[in-house]
Amino acid sequence: MSKSVVLVSSIAILLATAAQAQTARTPHPGGPTDRPWLDRHLTPEARAQAAVAAMTLDEKLRLVFGYSDQAVTEVAKVPDATVSPELKSYIVAHAVKGSAGFVPGVPRLGIPDQTQTDASIGVRNSLIPSTALPSSLATAASWDPEVPRAGGAMIGAEARATGHNTMLSGGVNLAREPRNGRNFEYTGEDPLLAGTMAGALIDGIQSNKIVSTMKHFAVNDQETLRTTLDVTMSAEGMRQSDLLAFEFALERGKPGSVMCSYNLINGRWGCENDYLLNTVLKHDWGFKGFVMSDWGAVHSTAAAANDGLDQFTGFCCVSDTPWFGPQRMKAALQSGAIPRRRLDDMVERILWALFAKGVVDNPVHATPIDYAANALVSQRAAEQSLVLLKNDSDLLPLRGVKSIAVIGGNADKGVMAGGGSSDVTPVGGAIMIKGHTFLPSPPLAALAHELPRARIAFDAGADIASAAALAAKSDVAVVFVTQHDNEGYDGHLELEGNQDALVAAVARANPKTIVIIESGGAVFMPWLADVPAVVEAFYPGIRGGPAIARVLTGKVDPSGHLPISFPASPDQLAHPRLAGLGLPDGTPAHVTYNEGAAIGYKWYDVKGYRPLFAFGHGLSYTRFATSGLAARADGKAIHANFSVRNTGQHAGSAVEQVYVAPADWKAAGWEAPKRLGAFAKTALKPGEAKSIEVTVDPRLLATYEAANNNWHVTAGVYRIMLGDSSDAPMQTVDVTVPDSVWSASVAAER
Ligand code: BGC
């Protein structure tokens, strides 16, 4: 029933907007002369301004107040003074049921409804199946922006085909806190890698002429007490870490909207944070789109509007405070608490995004989806992203094995997925096991498919002795371990339940033990020394099973590299104890990020710690050799070039990482001895070589100076280091860079 509702409402949108597009081509009353906002030849700015000029106050107020999916059933109970009867029936008639949110459009003017769906692994709609990509952290492990770009193009096409014109996708918060329950939705610990990969996902999604939403802005780096946690952090620390990741993602992805976060930053809520929203995002970065709130993240009317929030989203029920509801907005406008011009700016920003990203000119409508083709996009993403962490004596790939014990991890049923608002309704149906979602892509069946002549037996791993007995009588043992992560609370680094004991027992029973980890992020591995091979699969998506099997059997060469560091012990963490842990939800809490921008490998370098596995680490079945590293300064940037050759026996992809280091990092004001400056992934056949040139963005050589809002590169010698991991031996070359200072605001450069 709901699917037909989707179809009907989408077709209604299609017909309405198609009629307007028709009039836009014919200049007559009702055409572009009278409705200039429908003239595709005008700039999005001009179109947005023209539309706002034609709107009544009530029409403007429709666009700044959005509803959650639950509103469809709950809004009837809300007083008519808060939501008018006309709007109530409009929401019920037009919202795409089962999705995250809905913002009513203005049919009189041809302004479409905004139909919003989560999130970064695919369309989340409780009533419509969709293709799940690997988690964003997994695709970041590909170190190839074409992977999230292709994934984004695929999930964006599914969004469009199911009647959604806005995806709440593009999570870019840094993995500052390794236990953050949402790290799997983000793209790692390094600003360049995270911003590049999230930006590519957004770009792919928006290639479907829909809006994508970069989130959660900003420094929303833990889930514990996420709605009350106040983060204290210096402007320098933010600009060189989390904000730099957002800045890169914004430049690369050009999202139409940005979602502000639940937490407080330096005493101000994320969604009423003048510094973050007005100063940094809109002024310094020149963001022309709109800021939407996270669901339930608004705490005021005038303060939020004046401090940069453009759209309240997710209003549901009588119990919600309608901060941007028409009644409160009108009162604030009347009293002058919100200037009229500010409301126009809010609406212009929303409309700018809808015009600039193609939503108005290309209305969404229901079309068939080729799920089989889309599953292959997801499989390719997983195949590029699995990280071979350890492979002693080249135990992998599996060749000529006669018997395999597959143990644990529900590998007979599927692969694990993360929980919360990004969790999709997968094609084939979700498998719920103890409240955790598994996608129906069992590695056991996929392994049997790849190795038809091997005897493969499965043991669920609940009884350690029986699993060890099976391992003992098999050529090799493949143990699957899973670690559930979920929005709303933080996880832990110790594997759940009996899994560590299981791996240890199996490894004792069979020295040829391979461990496959399906996790949201880093985990401890107390058994590591006794296990010759380990693969980190993260949450590998709807074709995780075949991807794992193809990597294990060498059909695909593993080429993922870690987008995060794996700590060796809790005392290596910058915050060994999570702020607010154990306190009831809603309790005010506080954390100070004194480590600033020294996150992940930077923190380990500062402290001299040896992680379990370093950022950037990842093995292959082939070997690569680099040579000829040269670098030159070019204005504020550095160009580096080198060549890479596949010196092994298999086709594979090298992930070359260029780190930069000032001669004296403390004197240069850096947070750590080195930073990732650039990277490149290159596919190479055996014997093949390629020349690579990369550019180090000047901001990765600079420090941020809050007093003058400047970036500053300190003159001196910088070491350029080329390697395939942050802790690997590196080739180096030195470059002398001149002093350089420039504004952190694009406005200053205009
Ligand atoms: C999440 C957002 C999500 C929104 C809508 C919130 O709880 O934090 O990431 O987009 O819900 O589902």
Side-chain angles (χ1 to χ4, degrees):
M1 162 234 51
S2 41
K3 193 156 186 184
S4 62
V5 172
V6 172
L7 279 162
V8 170
S9 67
S10 306
I11 288 165
I13 298 167
L14 172 69
L15 294 178
T17 319
Q20 282 138 13
Q22 180 62 37
T23 55
R25 282 191 292 274
T26 337
H28 62 74
T33 318
D34 289 356
R35 302 162 75 92
W37 57 91
L38 295 180
D39 183 346
R40 297 174 187 217
H41 299 104
L42 297 180
T43 62
E45 288 86 342
R47 296 176 74 177
Q49 282 163 13
V52 168
M55 288 171 112
T56 65
L57 176 61
D58 283 326
E59 286 169 343
K60 293 176 190 173
L61 294 177
R62 278 166 91 93
L63 294 193
V64 301
F65 192 51
Y67 301 83
S68 79
D69 173 50
Q70 279 167 284
V72 172
T73 49
E74 295 298 316
V75 79
K77 300 175 200 152
V78 172
D80 288 354
T82 305
V83 179
S84 70
E86 182 274 322
L87 259 174
K88 288 180 187 173
S89 10
Y90 190 91
I91 293 160
V92 174
H94 293 259
V96 179
K97 313 301 177 287
S99 289
F102 177 75
V103 183
V106 184
R108 179 182 79 88
L109 302 175
I111 305 302
D113 303 329
Q114 291 162 64
T115 43
Q116 304 165 328
T117 177
D118 288 296
S120 302
I121 70 163
V123 172
R124 171 179 168 84
N125 182 300
S126 54
L127 308 165
I128 306 174
S130 68
T131 305
L133 286 172
S135 65
S136 293
L137 192 69
T139 46
S142 73
W143 288 65
D144 179 358
E146 293 318 311
V147 171
R149 199 185 315 282
M154 183 274 283
I155 63 171
E158 288 198 359
R160 167 167 278 285
T162 50
H164 303 97
N165 59 23
T166 304
M167 280 201 101
L168 310 173
S169 312
V172 70
N173 297 83
L174 289 186
R176 170 186 303 279
E177 167 50 69
R179 296 158 296 193
N180 180 356
R182 297 190 90 171
N183 277 342
F184 73 93
E185 291 187 59
Y186 303 138
T187 42
E189 70 186 28
D190 178 79
L192 176 67
L193 181 67
T196 304
M197 304 309 267
L201 177 87
I202 292 166
D203 185 46
I205 291 170
Q206 292 192 156
S207 68
N208 293 284
K209 303 196 187 307
I210 61 174
V211 166
S212 191
T213 306
M214 180 170 84
K215 68 190 191 183
H216 305 91
F217 196 67
V219 212
N220 183 189
D221 294 349
Q222 72 169 56
E223 287 295 280
T224 303
L225 298 186
R226 65 176 175 170
T227 58
T228 46
L229 184 74
D230 188 359
V231 172
T232 298
M233 197 176 175
S234 69
E236 290 83 354
M238 283 195 276
R239 292 274 194 157
Q240 290 172 201
S241 62
D242 294 63
L243 293 188
L244 188 54
F246 277 104
E247 192 175 4
F248 285 139
L250 185 75
E251 289 166 1
R252 285 155 173 77
K254 302 186 175 50
S257 60
V258 169
M259 185 187 287
C260 47
S261 58
Y262 284 122
N263 52 310
L264 299 100
I265 304 96
N266 293 327
R268 301 303 306 265
W269 298 104
C271 291
E272 55 183 79
N273 198 301
D274 179 58
Y275 174 71
L276 287 178
L277 305 182
N278 286 334
T279 303
V280 177
L281 179 67
K282 295 182 179 175
H283 180 266
D284 287 354
W285 298 348
F287 176 62
K288 290 185 184 165
F290 66 102
V291 176
M292 67 161 74
S293 64
D294 201 341
W295 273 226
V298 186
H299 300 271
S300 63
T301 304
N306 294 331
D307 287 342
L309 179 68
D310 300 305
Q311 185 183 69
F312 175 119
T313 39
F315 179 79
C316 159
C317 319
V318 185
S319 54
D320 288 352
T321 310
W323 292 111
F324 276 24
Q327 231 183 1
R328 285 179 190 242
M329 288 297 284
K330 279 182 184 166
L333 290 162
Q334 198 95 46
S335 71
I338 300 176
R340 297 249 159 199
R341 176 63 209 133
R342 173 63 189 129
L343 175 64
D344 285 355
D345 175 53
M346 292 157 76
V347 180
E348 272 171 35
R349 286 175 168 280
I350 295 164
L351 291 174
W352 178 88
L354 300 182
F355 287 118
K357 302 304 161 190
V359 170
V360 179
D361 299 332
N362 304 273
V364 291
H365 56 93
T367 48
I369 295 173
D370 184 347
Y371 287 118
N374 289 354
L376 285 179
V377 175
S378 182
Q379 182 175 328
R380 275 195 291 274
E383 289 174 357
Q384 289 289 313
S385 305
L386 296 185
V387 186
L388 180 60
L389 292 175
K390 184 175 181 187
N391 193 20
D392 285 357
S393 315
D394 290 340
L395 177 58
L396 292 173
L398 296 175
R399 295 249 162 80
V401 282
K402 293 200 178 61
S403 58
I404 304 176
V406 174
I407 294 165
N410 296 297
D412 57 332
K413 300 191 176 65
V415 288
M416 189 170 247
S421 64
S422 70
D423 189 1
V424 306
T425 307
V427 175
I431 302 162
M432 298 308 294
I433 301 170
K434 295 188 186 152
H436 301 165
T437 305
F438 283 75
L439 305 177
S441 182
L444 179 66
L447 211 48
H449 176 80
E450 294 300 332
L451 298 171
R453 282 199 283 277
R455 249 184 311 111
I456 301 182
F458 179 71
D459 186 291
D463 177 343
I464 293 182
S466 107
L470 177 65
K473 62 181 190 198
S474 309
D475 286 351
V476 295
V478 183
V479 189
F480 286 80
V481 295
T482 58
Q483 185 80 335
H484 176 71
D485 272 332
N486 207 95
E487 174 183 342
Y489 51 88
D490 294 315
H492 38 86
L493 301 170
E494 298 80 12
L495 283 176
E496 278 158 25
N498 72 352
Q499 296 184 101
D500 281 332
L502 175 69
V503 175
V506 170
R508 273 195 303 275
N510 188 331
K512 290 188 177 173
T513 289
I514 299 146
V515 177
I516 315 294
I517 306 168
E518 294 165 21
S519 65
V523 294
F524 293 144
M525 303 176 206
W527 32 259
L528 185 62
D530 303 320
V531 167
V534 182
V535 174
E536 174 60 64
F538 296 108
Y539 296 144
I542 193 70
R543 294 300 290 264
I548 291 169
R550 281 159 60 81
V551 163
L552 290 181
T553 55
K555 290 262 170 56
V556 169
D557 189 69
S559 64
H561 286 242
L562 290 179
I564 49 172
S565 309
F566 276 45
S569 60
D571 53 359
Q572 290 189 337
L573 305 186
H575 302 271
R577 195 179 152 70
L578 269 162
L581 192 67
L583 297 176
D585 258 357
T587 314
H590 185 260
V591 65
T592 302
Y593 288 146
N594 276 332
E595 75 282 5
I599 301 175
Y601 66 93
K602 295 170 182 168
W603 173 255
Y604 292 90
D605 281 352
V606 170
K607 292 288 176 186
Y609 294 154
R610 235 183 120 201
L612 190 63
F613 288 107
F615 173 80
H617 172 73
L619 305 173
S620 156
Y621 297 147
T622 190
R623 305 271 178 272
F624 302 102
T626 51
S627 58
L629 175 65
R632 67 193 158 85
D634 175 12
K636 299 181 294 223
I638 291 178
H639 302 295
N641 55 281
F642 53 89
S643 74
V644 54
R645 176 181 296 278
N646 183 343
T647 57
Q649 307 301 316
H650 309 275
S653 293
V655 172
E656 295 306 336
Q657 302 159 38
V658 173
Y659 293 87
V660 285
D664 180 342
W665 63 274
K666 286 187 181 152
W670 280 32
E671 70 281 4
K674 69 174 185 285
R675 297 173 178 166
L676 179 71
F679 59 91
K681 187 168 191 176
T682 320
L684 294 164
K685 298 192 195 76
E688 191 182 8
K690 282 186 187 156
S691 299
I692 314 283
E693 172 152 343
V694 293
T695 300
V696 179
D697 186 287
R699 286 164 291 189
L700 295 169
L701 299 168
T703 51
Y704 175 76
E705 295 176 340
N708 300 310
N709 195 27
N710 282 333
W711 290 107
H712 182 185
V713 177
T714 306
V717 174
Y718 287 74
R719 180 149 289 187
I720 306 300
M721 303 180 291
L722 173 66
D724 60 4
S725 163
S726 63
D727 70 345
M730 305 203 196
Q731 277 183 66
T732 64
V733 64
D734 290 350
V735 191
T736 303
V737 177
D739 202 77
S740 154
V741 177
W742 69 99
S743 174
S745 165
V746 293
E749 284 173 15
R750 276 193 208 120

